[in-house]
Amino acid sequence: MTSSHIDSSKYDFKTIEKKWQSSWENKKIYKVDEDKSRQKYYVLEMFPYPSGRIHMGHVRNYSIGDVIARYKRLRGFNVLHPMGWDAFGLPAENAARKNDSHPAEWTYSNIDYMRNQLRQLGLSYDWDREIATCNPEYYRWEQLLFIEMYKKGIVYQKTTSVNWCESCETVLANEQVIEGACWRCDELVRPREMNGWFFKITDYAEELLEDLDKLPGWPEKVLTMQRNWIGKSTGLTCDFQVDELDLTIPIFTTRPDTIFGVTFMSIAPEHPLLASLIEGSDKEEEVLSFVSEIISERQRQSPEDEPEKRGFFTGRYCINPFNGSKIPIYVANFVLMEYGTGAVMAVPAHDERDFEFARKYNLAISPVVIPEGIDLDPEIMEQASTLPGNLVNSGQFSNMDSIDAQAAIIQYAEENNFGGPHITYRLRDWGISRQRYWGAPIPMIHCEKCGTQPVKISDLPVVLPEDKQSEAKCRPLQQRPSFINTSCPNCGGSASRETDTMDTFMESSWYFARYTSPRVTDSPLDKKKAAYWLAVDQYIGGVEHAILHLLYSRFFTKVLRDLGYLDIGEPFTNLLTQGMVIKDGSKMSKSKGNVVDPHDLIEEYGADTVRLFSLFAAPPERDLEWNAQGVEGASRFLNRVYRFITANEDLLSEKCNKGEKLSDQGRDLNRKTHQTIKRVTENIEHNFHFNTAISAMMELFNTLSSMVGKKDRAIADSAVIQEAVSNLLVLLSPMVPHFTAEMWEISGNSGSVEEQPWPEYDREAAKEEMLTIVIQVMGKVRSRLQVAADTSDATLVEMALADENTIKFMAGKPVKKTIVVKKKLVNIVI
């Protein structure tokens, strides 16, 4: 059949793409419901922040996810592929201030624009499941979960030193501080004492660590990053008594075998016992001055700085409980309060950092672990020794192997009541309090009589006030008396609302679960629907989220399980971390002036060309180097296929019988078709290497187009051509859906390409034709080889020279030349 509007000389992508987008939307062909008779598949790309426009990174990310979703549908899966908006956050607030608008207005306007951009890409989303996290109908359930976590003891409030970003005017979680700087604005982060709300993610530290072994579908790089961030350490904790004071300083060490070599103690400038140590001493003023200086230096340091190790003697000593030795206590700039106990037993003979400090301040060095064959002289040592060995100068543990001695030393401390075994984690509880307006209000109320109380469930959601006056649009909640003043849910007396809002990572920690039942109105989740769809089978996003979003989502999934909403403990079965889009040697960004706007590309080439380029240019896990010629190449390929199909409509629509005898070219095309089905299927199934899958389809098209027009075609060849074209369109359809839908229609095929089953390859048909190649030495037949018909001449020569009979008749003589008669023989001249 011939489509009435088709101009066979030109691929009219604008008309074609609008036509099929309208058709898909009207028919809601991507809307999905639970169906227990079918195997489910949940594919999800990390949802975007509605910044206003999509960029090429979005195009790549969402194209990858869309190919997987469309492929799985063709394989018969019941596919959930939703989209929504991570809509709270500081950028909206800053943009609203700049443009004299309200964050909600700015956000929803951006959502409308970006939704249209995503539709233009032909992405197969179930838009009926769309969510925006700034909608009270979403965050009301987040507030409910907060209250349930509070009642279960997973949420608590405390005053602590927090990470404060002056530029963003808010607190940051530890995970949001990247090498000392704010993850969002790159400004240096400073410590500040504040009251805030925390999630007890540390209660789940061991499970978060152990369950990484249950994620074979995650990149090892991400697993390693999470293991390192959780940072489990096992060792000894013990107390060092402060000399002449009723104080003890607890320490933790992973090297109890070195404890007899401790020669000084280092404590963090923020250590809570420091004030008691120096109170009233002649060192007090100097120590406080040093501490102030160190804290100030930390605030000025860039993330890459490795400051010189510095310390100051407090004037106090403590006692090593193992040998009674009296050791000086130093405040040191390299000891951090958030690691271990904030106090470090220093063993300069066996720790390089301690060694450098001891040399600088002329402190004692006492080797106690001697590696086999090595003599450690503290007077001439140039660096610390960290090798295992035998213990010396270690009391009753001397002569023991250092590894064996660790358990014995821990047991001794436990038996003598000054220490014992201990496990510590680098992971710290997640501080979720933020001091900005555009976030979900924390549903707590402070009453002088009753204390802090959760909001009544019936009063949820606690909605952000949306004042329309220009000066009030972005005021933090603590500056809004009408929001703050309320009544106590317990006694009914006057009370005040919590004015902090939640960290925006809260919303993204459970959105994937809400997609399973986004319109349920009486609970955060429909348990049956969640049980059907979760876990997410394939999650796709950037590796920059390895610690932040992915760790929080794992934690939140376990909490939802413990609250009775989910039956699973891990949210994402498989994870694909796609590479960045690179131009001129660096990641595309406005600040670098190297951004390519997808809108302009779509206007010039069409969405399918942009999709094809982003999929063909590099494997998904690798960075994609922007290449304008690559876009042109993708466009040329689609236009070649277009012209081929429109020029051969009669051939493609005639009735043919494949059972008749094929020509040689027909057999080659049939073989190539089934080989291509095999390659494309394996490339998608095994590693999502769409680039090599597309390359295979281009090869098939080259074989196909070279055959059509040959005058010696057999009658049955037409059937093979039709089969090749229809299979090519189905194989291409996940990558270029508008194009293949149109080509399917004008090729005379029944139904739509989306309704077709994914083709299966015939093993026999895909086998290469085997040939017998004669091997001659000086013109005489000496051997024969069985090879595939497409074996190259160079490979034939290599095989001939390696053949045992050939080697025997060459008798070690050098080869002067080789002569290859294609598909017949190899003659070796010696």
Side-chain angles (χ1 to χ4, degrees):
M1 64 185 264
T2 304
S3 182
S4 60
H5 67 274
I6 290 296
D7 175 0
S8 60
S9 66
K10 182 182 179 182
Y11 166 40
D12 183 5
F13 61 81
K14 289 188 177 180
T15 300
I16 289 171
E17 290 178 356
K18 286 181 180 178
K19 166 188 171 181
W20 289 104
Q21 288 163 15
S22 178
S23 174
W24 297 332
E25 185 175 352
N26 291 336
K27 294 178 181 178
K28 290 187 177 292
I29 66 171
Y30 306 122
K31 179 177 171 58
V32 67
D33 293 302
E34 298 72 37
D35 183 351
K36 291 186 178 180
S37 68
R38 298 171 63 196
Q39 186 175 351
K40 69 91 180 179
Y41 192 87
Y42 185 177
V43 57
L44 182 65
E45 306 95 62
M46 294 179 185
F47 64 168
Y49 180 78
S51 58
R53 301 177 77 89
I54 64 170
H55 51 67
M56 283 304 298
H58 288 132
V59 172
R60 190 183 192 201
N61 189 15
Y62 304 146
S63 294
I64 291 169
D66 198 51
V67 171
I68 297 170
R70 290 177 178 276
Y71 168 75
K72 289 295 183 178
R73 285 191 196 97
L74 294 169
R75 295 305 299 256
F77 287 83
N78 192 29
V79 176
L80 174 58
H81 188 209
M83 174 50 69
W85 311 96
D86 191 8
F88 273 136
L90 187 61
E93 195 170 319
N94 290 341
R97 291 176 188 272
K98 182 178 179 181
N99 299 310
D100 191 27
S101 63
H102 193 280
E105 296 170 5
W106 186 85
T107 298
Y108 282 113
S109 174
N110 286 350
I111 286 174
D112 289 341
Y113 188 85
M114 291 178 69
R115 184 193 302 112
N116 184 57
Q117 287 188 300
L118 296 182
R119 289 186 189 276
Q120 288 179 336
L121 281 170
L123 302 168
S124 60
Y125 294 129
D126 180 354
W127 283 106
D128 286 356
R129 295 175 182 263
E130 180 183 11
I131 59 175
T133 59
C134 63
N135 189 322
E137 290 307 307
Y138 180 84
Y139 68 73
R140 69 174 296 182
W141 303 118
E142 192 169 295
Q143 292 173 339
L144 172 67
L145 294 172
F146 181 99
I147 292 171
E148 291 182 347
M149 292 168 69
Y150 176 78
K151 292 178 178 178
K152 198 173 177 67
I154 304 172
V155 177
Y156 66 96
Q157 190 178 30
K158 70 173 180 179
T159 299
T160 185
S161 177
V162 296
N163 306 305
W164 178 259
C165 177
E166 193 66 41
S167 174
C168 296
E169 298 180 34
T170 193
V171 169
L172 303 175
N174 286 345
E175 292 83 355
Q176 293 166 328
V177 180
I178 311 299
E179 296 183 320
C182 173
W183 70 282
R184 184 186 289 111
C185 70
D186 286 332
E187 292 294 322
L188 289 178
V189 172
R190 302 181 178 187
R192 176 181 284 193
E193 290 291 318
M194 292 187 72
N195 198 34
W197 292 94
F198 290 80
F199 286 164
K200 282 189 178 179
I201 192 172
T202 52
D203 282 2
Y204 289 80
E206 187 63 27
E207 187 181 4
L208 286 166
L209 184 64
E210 288 183 355
D211 285 0
L212 290 172
D213 293 334
K214 300 177 182 178
L215 299 173
W218 283 39
E220 188 58 41
K221 178 181 180 180
V222 175
L223 297 176
T224 298
M225 291 171 75
Q226 289 213 3
R227 286 191 183 97
N228 291 342
W229 187 259
I230 295 168
K232 181 179 180 179
S233 297
T234 59
L236 164 73
T237 182
C238 69
D239 296 328
F240 279 59
Q241 177 68 47
V242 179
D243 190 38
E244 299 181 351
L245 288 178
D246 187 20
L247 289 176
T248 57
I249 301 177
I251 62 94
F252 170 79
T253 179
T254 59
R255 291 291 308 274
D257 53 311
T258 66
I259 202 159
F260 284 84
V262 176
T263 60
F264 62 96
M265 174 80 74
S266 303
I267 66 172
E270 307 89 346
H271 199 289
L273 292 180
L274 179 59
S276 299
L277 284 174
I278 61 175
E279 184 179 10
S281 74
D282 57 0
K283 295 279 188 179
E284 183 175 10
E285 187 173 331
E286 291 178 279
V287 171
L288 290 177
S289 176
F290 175 79
V291 167
S292 178
E293 184 180 337
I294 294 302
I295 292 175
S296 178
E297 279 181 4
R298 285 181 179 174
Q299 293 169 353
R300 294 194 303 269
Q301 287 164 4
S302 68
E304 296 81 18
D305 285 347
E306 177 108 14
E308 179 188 0
K309 295 172 181 60
R310 298 174 60 206
F312 198 91
F313 178 45
T314 63
R316 292 289 182 184
Y317 295 82
C318 59
I319 308 302
N320 186 332
F322 282 87
N323 59 9
S325 62
K326 186 176 174 180
I327 58 175
I329 303 172
Y330 277 74
V331 182
N333 66 341
F334 57 84
V335 182
L336 302 177
M337 207 47 231
E338 56 262 37
Y339 297 114
T341 66
V344 176
M345 64 169 218
V347 188
H350 304 294
D351 181 274
E352 188 59 31
R353 184 184 57 184
D354 296 341
F355 181 86
E356 293 175 9
F357 191 91
R359 282 286 189 242
K360 180 173 182 176
Y361 292 101
N362 198 30
L363 297 168
I365 298 174
S366 178
V368 290
V369 179
I370 308 300
E372 185 177 356
I374 297 178
D375 180 32
L376 297 181
D377 184 345
E379 297 298 324
I380 60 174
M381 287 177 68
E382 296 182 354
Q383 62 184 22
S385 170
T386 58
L387 297 173
N390 289 328
L391 266 58
V392 298
N393 302 321
S394 299
Q396 68 193 70
F397 306 103
S398 294
N399 299 318
M400 285 187 68
D401 176 81
S402 60
I403 303 300
D404 296 337
Q406 292 185 4
I409 288 171
I410 292 173
Q411 182 180 350
Y412 178 84
E414 190 171 22
E415 290 173 349
N416 288 275
N417 300 314
F418 59 77
H422 188 68
I423 297 174
T424 188
Y425 298 90
R426 182 176 184 263
L427 182 68
R428 291 294 179 263
D429 282 340
W430 175 12
I432 65 145
S433 288
R434 299 295 178 266
Q435 292 69 46
R436 301 303 296 251
Y437 165 75
W438 192 234
I442 292 176
M444 302 298 287
I445 292 174
H446 304 287
C447 173
E448 289 189 5
K449 179 180 178 182
C450 304
T452 300
Q453 302 290 320
V455 171
K456 289 181 179 178
I457 302 301
S458 59
D459 289 341
L460 296 178
V462 177
V463 179
L464 277 176
E466 295 194 4
D467 303 297
K468 300 304 179 185
Q469 295 87 358
S470 175
E471 70 277 3
K473 288 175 182 175
C474 295
R475 283 190 308 177
L477 298 182
Q478 60 264 33
Q479 298 177 20
R480 298 171 181 260
S482 61
F483 174 83
I484 296 172
N485 298 328
T486 188
S487 57
C488 174
N490 188 44
C491 70
S494 61
S496 59
R497 291 190 186 278
E498 173 60 59
T499 58
D500 285 351
T501 53
M502 296 189 206
D503 181 4
T504 54
F505 278 97
M506 177 85 169
E507 285 83 54
S508 60
S509 293
W510 72 287
Y511 79 107
F512 50 87
R514 181 65 180 174
Y515 275 142
T516 66
S517 49
R519 304 295 172 252
V520 64
T521 59
D522 60 352
S523 177
L525 301 172
D526 182 310
K527 296 179 184 179
K528 290 183 179 179
K529 293 179 184 291
Y532 176 82
W533 288 114
L534 293 172
V536 175
D537 295 281
Q538 183 64 59
Y539 200 38
I540 305 161
V543 73
E544 66 271 17
H545 299 289
I547 292 173
L548 292 163
H549 164 58
L550 291 172
L551 183 63
Y552 293 156
S553 295
R554 296 183 60 227
F555 160 66
F556 224 84
T557 298
K558 297 176 191 305
V559 170
L560 288 171
R561 176 203 60 199
D562 292 349
L563 293 175
Y565 291 105
L566 298 179
D567 298 326
I568 60 168
E570 288 293 332
F572 314 121
T573 303
N574 297 290
L575 174 67
L576 172 63
T577 53
Q578 91 282 354
M580 297 183 296
V581 179
I582 305 295
K583 184 172 185 284
D584 303 329
S586 59
K587 179 183 178 181
M588 281 190 182
S589 70
K590 291 180 182 178
S591 62
K592 294 186 175 71
N594 64 349
V595 170
V596 176
D597 192 335
H599 174 77
D600 296 338
L601 289 176
I602 292 171
E603 283 293 307
E604 184 174 356
Y605 295 101
D608 281 339
T609 292
V610 178
R611 288 171 58 123
L612 189 65
F613 163 73
S614 70
L615 295 164
F616 183 56
E621 72 278 6
R622 300 280 297 277
D623 288 346
L624 185 158
E625 183 72 38
W626 169 255
N627 183 341
Q629 289 72 34
V631 181
E632 290 280 358
S635 178
R636 283 196 301 271
F637 172 68
L638 293 182
N639 275 284
R640 284 182 63 208
V641 177
Y642 175 82
R643 288 192 296 271
F644 174 87
I645 289 177
T646 55
N648 292 281
E649 287 184 55
D650 292 339
L651 168 61
L652 297 175
S653 60
E654 69 182 32
K655 292 185 178 180
C656 305
N657 183 3
K658 186 181 175 183
E660 299 178 18
K661 183 175 176 60
L662 298 173
S663 67
D664 287 346
Q665 293 90 349
R667 285 194 299 274
D668 288 344
L669 178 58
N670 188 52
R671 182 185 308 112
K672 191 68 172 177
T673 298
H674 287 275
Q675 289 174 342
T676 303
I677 295 170
K678 180 176 185 290
R679 282 183 62 189
V680 172
T681 304
E682 290 176 349
N683 284 328
I684 295 177
E685 285 284 350
H686 294 168
N687 50 21
F688 300 135
H689 278 195
F690 308 121
N691 58 321
T692 52
I694 293 168
S695 178
M697 288 184 274
M698 289 177 171
E699 291 177 17
L700 172 60
F701 178 72
N702 289 338
T703 303
L704 174 65
S705 57
S706 67
M707 179 179 174
V708 173
K710 288 184 179 292
K711 295 181 180 179
D712 58 345
R713 278 208 329 262
I715 296 174
D717 290 351
S718 297
V720 174
I721 292 171
Q722 290 176 356
E723 183 184 80
V725 170
S726 62
N727 280 319
L728 177 63
L729 292 177
V730 175
L731 295 174
L732 265 176
S733 65
M735 289 84 169
V736 285
H738 314 87
F739 178 84
T740 50
E742 184 71 16
M743 296 303 98
W744 185 268
E745 181 179 274
I746 68 175
S747 297
N749 293 296
S750 60
S752 66
V753 71
E754 293 93 352
E755 297 169 342
Q756 306 310 306
W758 186 259
E760 300 287 342
Y761 72 92
D762 184 322
R763 291 182 181 274
E764 289 301 316
K767 281 184 179 179
E768 284 290 349
E769 182 181 343
M770 300 301 290
L771 299 175
T772 299
I773 302 297
V774 171
I775 305 177
Q776 296 178 338
V777 178
M778 299 299 291
K780 294 184 179 180
V781 176
R782 297 304 188 187
S783 190
R784 288 177 171 82
L785 296 174
Q786 290 292 313
V787 300
D790 65 345
T791 304
S792 68
D793 291 353
T795 302
L796 286 175
V797 171
E798 289 180 9
M799 295 172 70
L801 293 173
D803 181 79
E804 290 184 7
N805 288 331
T806 304
I807 294 171
K808 181 174 69 173
F809 285 102
M810 287 173 62
K813 295 177 181 178
V815 177
K816 291 184 178 179
K817 66 176 180 177
T818 56
I819 302 167
V820 178
V821 180
K822 204 163 192 68
K823 295 191 175 183
K824 291 186 177 180
L825 64 83
V826 177
N827 183 24
I828 301 169
V829 180
I830 56 177

